[in-house]
Amino acid sequence: MSRQPSKDTRVELAVRRLLHAAGMRYNVEYPVPGMPRRRMDVAFPRLKIAVLIDGCFWHGCPQHATQPKANAEWWRNKLDRNMARDRETTEHLVAEGWTVLRFWEHEAPEDVAVRVAATVERRRAEVTRGRTK
């Protein structure tokens, strides 16, 4: 497990490059407010947008998750805890007013970047409208 990257994965880097090339500025590995030791892969703190890119194996992708046969019970518990932590983090962020965007590692970085950019632009427009009233 120690050889598995927990941050700066190939997909995360590709998405970040695309967002940066589109002129978007963001924070990387931004701490989840009120939840120690939890981080967002990409965050737009002023707009309260959290982007999380989950690995298929570690986070239980319905299409690609596999079940190890060796030490199966330990792995099942480990992966179940990961998925429960993901749900808890999402619920906490939503309760704090954040928009949470979760993606799987198998999704095309271009598609992810387009969806993130659209959410950022929509949120910026909402914030701007709110200030002009």
Side-chain angles (χ1 to χ4, degrees):
M1 283 193 295
S2 64
R3 293 181 191 213
Q4 296 297 320
S6 60
K7 60 183 179 180
D8 296 334
T9 63
R10 188 171 25 96
V11 177
E12 288 176 26
L13 292 173
V15 169
R16 289 184 349 218
R17 268 190 231 106
L18 291 165
L19 293 173
H20 194 272
M24 305 192 134
R25 299 303 176 254
Y26 48 82
N27 292 86
V28 176
E29 290 296 309
Y30 192 79
V32 173
M35 297 189 98
R37 298 184 57 194
R38 296 195 196 180
R39 302 199 168 278
M40 301 172 221
D41 297 321
V42 173
F44 297 87
R46 288 189 186 118
L47 301 174
K48 285 193 161 187
I49 297 173
V51 179
L52 299 137
I53 302 172
D54 296 333
C56 290
F57 174 76
W58 297 104
H59 298 271
C61 171
Q63 291 179 315
H64 300 108
T66 58
Q67 299 298 316
K69 291 179 179 40
N71 208 2
E73 185 179 341
W74 184 88
W75 277 107
R76 182 71 263 143
N77 289 332
K78 166 75 174 151
L79 298 175
D80 285 347
R81 284 191 315 269
N82 286 354
M83 290 184 284
R85 187 175 57 243
D86 292 343
R87 283 189 300 275
E88 181 185 24
T89 301
T90 297
E91 290 168 3
H92 176 77
L93 285 167
V94 168
E96 294 290 319
W98 287 73
T99 299
V100 179
L101 303 173
R102 279 196 177 271
F103 301 98
W104 292 109
E105 69 178 339
H106 66 262
E107 294 183 64
E110 297 81 9
D111 295 341
V112 172
V114 165
R115 289 168 56 193
V116 170
T119 302
V120 167
E121 292 307 316
R122 188 170 45 252
R123 185 72 181 122
R124 279 187 182 144
E126 290 169 3
V127 169
T128 302
R129 273 196 309 269
R131 286 187 187 155
T132 59
K133 289 183 179 178

